[in-house]
Amino acid sequence: MAGFSRCGRGWIGGASADDFLPLQRKDETMSTVESTTYSAPGEQGSPVELDGRYDNFIGGGWVAPSTGEYRENPSPSTGEVFCEVAH
């Protein structure tokens, strides 16, 4: 605990050990979150729309790469390419 050190029965710095314990409320219960499954981008029912190609975002605007090169951008979950990104 930065700034505080244990000394005898108290804490130097005007705090007690209770000041560092998380608050617990007996009247609160955990809520349940239901899982929601969405369609992948590009498929019907997807909550997002993606372009086929993305440039670099520089200075508040989209700028094509100086080399003119783009790379495939695969989905981490399926490995399928879903767009191209500036290289």
Side-chain angles (χ1 to χ4, degrees):
M1 286 175 244
F4 295 96
S5 61
R6 183 89 165 120
C7 178
R9 299 179 65 184
W11 291 82
I12 297 173
S16 71
D18 292 337
D19 293 330
F20 298 99
L21 298 176
L23 296 176
Q24 297 177 357
R25 294 184 181 177
K26 294 179 181 180
D27 59 332
E28 290 184 8
T29 59
M30 293 182 67
S31 61
T32 303
V33 177
E34 293 183 31
S35 176
T36 303
T37 303
Y38 296 102
S39 298
E43 294 181 5
Q44 184 176 354
S46 174
V48 297
E49 293 182 23
L50 296 176
D51 292 333
R53 177 179 276 184
Y54 287 92
D55 292 329
N56 294 305
F57 192 74
I58 301 173
W62 294 102
V63 180
S66 60
T67 61
E69 295 180 36
Y70 291 84
R71 288 194 174 178
E72 293 180 337
N73 188 24
S75 166
S77 62
T78 64
E80 294 181 34
V81 174
F82 64 94
C83 70
E84 292 182 327
V85 293
H87 174 62

